[in-house]
Amino acid sequence: AKPTTPVDPVDPDPVDPGTGQSGDFKNIPADQKAYYANIDFKKTGMELKVALAKLIQKKNDISYTANKHAIAITDRSPDGKLYMIYGEKGTTSGNHTYTSNSGWNREHVFAQSQGNPVLGRSKGPGVDAHHLRPSIIKHNSDRGNLHFIEGSGKARKLGGGWYPGDEWRGDVARMMMYMYLVYDQQCDANLIAISSPVSTDKGMVELFLKWNAEDPVADLEIQRNDFHGNPKNANSQGNRNPFIDNPYLATQIWGGPVAENRWK
């Protein structure tokens, strides 16, 4: 039989490019309500995006070393190890190790070299705690600076891109949305994903809206967000990722698949 020709992964189905509707937000936790006190959640689309961006841009630039100290707290698992991004539950060795205390380094989920300009490690996006995650060294190397791409199953190279794994696709989407709001054109989502842009905002892509809706917020994301959202914590960045607090905010801004409303 003739060998089959490799087929490139198919881009996710187009999503509604319109903006979402105002959310039904009756159950905002007290600490989050205080943080978002000056945000008018009746706004939608680019108005809400700009308001949230101004809020979360108010933060501390903590050093690369301070980030490592923070990771020891924010990414701690119940077994006393650290969660490895791109790992798989139940795997205890190899690239897909899920928790570990050795053989890891820090992954810039928004790859440094893909920023415009590049991110660096001295200040700003290159040391932003909301996208620095522990990763098995080999997995970190395998990913390199590859763009994120649609897929399924385990984390791996796929069609010239990088699929982060079913366990992590929502986490990645929410991190990339955050990075875009805080750093604007330097961290446009289309610089880090193989996907079509959203028609109302060329800096956002359909893939991340899809992943945000498909993969609900994990306890680890909440653990990290609560730590860095409290400026009293040593090595805290002092700001929150709003898309972890409520993934529906992405729907409210960019439309697309309806994500979980954690404040309803």
Side-chain angles (χ1 to χ4, degrees):
K2 293 181 180 180
T4 57
T5 302
V7 178
D8 290 335
V10 178
D11 201 41
D13 293 335
V15 298
D16 177 7
T19 55
Q21 299 297 314
S22 296
D24 178 13
F25 300 154
K26 295 177 181 176
N27 294 298
I28 305 178
D31 60 334
Q32 294 176 26
K33 186 178 287 186
Y35 184 73
Y36 297 108
N38 294 321
I39 301 294
D40 179 2
F41 285 114
K42 291 184 174 130
K43 292 180 178 179
T44 61
M46 298 303 99
E47 279 192 305
L48 180 57
K49 172 192 164 188
V50 169
L52 285 173
K54 287 180 179 178
L55 173 65
I56 64 179
Q57 284 165 358
K58 298 173 184 176
K59 62 181 182 63
N60 302 318
D61 264 340
I62 61 176
S63 70
Y64 201 57
T65 299
N67 265 292
K68 191 168 187 178
H69 295 319
I71 281 173
I73 299 170
T74 59
D75 292 72
R76 182 72 54 186
S77 63
D79 65 2
K81 298 179 181 178
L82 297 177
Y83 289 105
M84 299 290 109
I85 193 168
Y86 313 139
E88 187 176 32
K89 285 182 180 177
T91 302
T92 58
S93 63
N95 287 359
H96 290 92
T97 297
Y98 193 57
T99 63
S100 180
N101 269 337
S102 62
W104 65 272
N105 58 10
R106 281 164 284 180
E107 158 79 331
H108 287 77
V109 181
F110 196 111
Q112 295 177 81
S113 63
Q114 299 297 0
N116 183 25
V118 299
L119 307 190
R121 290 186 181 179
S122 60
K123 62 181 181 178
V127 293
D128 196 300
H130 284 286
H131 85 120
L132 283 171
R133 304 291 287 268
S135 172
I136 293 297
I137 292 172
K138 180 63 164 59
H139 237 167
N140 192 334
S141 175
D142 287 346
R143 188 268 167 123
N145 65 355
L146 293 173
H147 289 56
F148 292 111
I149 194 170
E150 179 66 302
S152 62
K154 296 181 179 181
R156 66 196 189 283
K157 291 181 181 179
L158 183 64
W162 179 260
Y163 180 63
D166 294 350
E167 170 80 7
W168 303 102
R169 66 193 192 280
D171 306 49
V172 165
R174 288 179 281 274
M175 283 186 274
M176 298 302 94
M177 291 173 181
Y178 163 90
M179 293 292 284
Y180 173 43
L181 259 63
V182 176
Y183 302 105
D184 195 33
Q185 295 180 10
Q186 186 176 9
C187 292
D188 275 6
N190 56 41
L191 295 173
I192 201 64
I194 299 173
S195 177
S196 300
V198 175
S199 65
T200 55
D201 184 0
K202 300 301 184 183
M204 183 45 57
V205 296
E206 295 174 355
L207 180 62
F208 292 151
L209 299 182
K210 180 175 182 287
W211 283 355
N212 180 52
E214 288 178 343
D215 183 24
V217 173
D219 289 344
L220 173 58
E221 292 179 86
I222 297 170
Q223 177 174 295
R224 290 175 51 85
N225 209 29
D226 285 347
F227 176 88
H228 283 293
N230 185 350
K232 294 180 181 179
N233 290 331
N235 302 313
S236 163
Q237 195 164 276
N239 70 338
R240 303 186 68 87
N241 181 337
F243 305 110
I244 292 173
D245 287 332
N246 193 356
Y248 184 80
L249 293 174
T251 309
Q252 196 167 335
I253 294 171
W254 294 292
V258 178
E260 174 190 18
N261 183 353
R262 299 188 65 231
W263 293 343
K264 190 169 182 178

